[in-house]
Amino acid sequence: MATFYKILVFIHIISAILGMGPGFILSMIAKSAKTMTELRHAYLIKRRLHMMVMIGGLLLIGTGLLMGMINPSLFRTGWYVVSLTLFLIGLAMGPILLAPLSKPIKAILVSHKGDDIPAEYLRLSKKLDVCENIANTIFFIIIVLMILKPF
């Protein structure tokens, strides 16, 4: 069982690197775009990276819960419970906040004619940036809790 647990820890850490790493840069990708062509390309890259984030996130929650089942004392440690709670909050932000904010942006990317970036996109992207920054902060706190295990 100890070997299986070590394998789970390894998968958990690799999942964090491959899943959360790209997640931290998703919000930065489109910021340097100066034209609609560049912006559309940036969102194509974001969509592809988001797949890694989702796979990594699923592996993180799966391996984290499996480690908790193998070692139930984790469920009595504050850092584990807080990390799990924050992770579920961060996960819920996707469909509750990020997806609805992304929909009108995606519509602009499809429908806008010309290569200028419309003011409406800039307004909507600022709202999306705030939510993405909150999600990134939540995931950064989780990483700190996982490393330090302060309580």
Side-chain angles (χ1 to χ4, degrees), residues 25-81:
I25 64 160
L26 282 177
S27 60
M28 293 185 257
I29 292 173
K31 288 184 181 183
S32 63
K34 303 286 185 239
T35 65
M36 281 302 287
T37 301
E38 291 175 1
L39 196 59
R40 287 182 182 108
H41 185 68
Y43 272 85
L44 175 67
I45 293 168
K46 282 180 78 161
R47 187 171 57 244
R48 289 180 179 164
L49 282 175
H50 188 254
M51 291 303 297
M52 284 180 63
V53 172
M54 289 191 321
I55 292 167
L58 287 172
L59 283 171
L60 277 169
I61 193 75
T63 55
L65 289 172
L66 272 173
M67 287 185 290
M69 286 183 232
I70 292 169
N71 181 9
S73 67
L74 286 173
F75 289 105
R76 293 185 298 277
T77 60
W79 66 268
Y80 182 88
V81 173

Side-chain angles (χ1 to χ4, degrees), residues 4-147:
F4 180 65
Y5 192 85
K6 286 179 183 179
I7 291 168
L8 283 177
V9 170
F10 177 79
I11 293 169
H12 193 73
I13 292 169
I14 295 298
S15 299
I17 294 166
L18 295 176
M20 293 178 117
F24 286 119
I25 64 160
L26 282 177
S27 60
M28 293 185 257
I29 292 173
K31 288 184 181 183
S32 63
K34 303 286 185 239
T35 65
M36 281 302 287
T37 301
E38 291 175 1
L39 196 59
R40 287 182 182 108
H41 185 68
Y43 272 85
L44 175 67
I45 293 168
K46 282 180 78 161
R47 187 171 57 244
R48 289 180 179 164
L49 282 175
H50 188 254
M51 291 303 297
M52 284 180 63
V53 172
M54 289 191 321
I55 292 167
L58 287 172
L59 283 171
L60 277 169
I61 193 75
T63 55
L65 289 172
L66 272 173
M67 287 185 290
M69 286 183 232
I70 292 169
N71 181 9
S73 67
L74 286 173
F75 289 105
R76 293 185 298 277
T77 60
W79 66 268
Y80 182 88
V81 173
V82 171
S83 295
L84 185 58
T85 303
L86 287 174
F87 193 85
L88 293 174
I89 290 168
L91 223 64
M93 285 181 72
I96 294 171
L97 293 173
L98 298 174
L101 289 170
S102 296
K103 252 183 207 170
I105 288 173
K106 290 176 184 174
I108 289 171
L109 294 174
V110 170
S111 67
H112 183 73
K113 305 295 181 222
D115 218 25
D116 61 309
I117 297 176
E120 181 66 5
Y121 166 80
L122 297 173
R123 185 184 70 74
L124 292 168
S125 71
K126 284 181 183 175
K127 288 181 181 179
L128 182 61
D129 283 346
V130 169
C131 287
E132 286 177 337
N133 288 336
I134 291 169
N136 284 343
T137 300
I138 288 170
F139 290 119
F140 180 78
I141 291 168
I142 293 167
I143 290 170
V144 170
L145 289 171
M146 292 283 158
I147 294 169

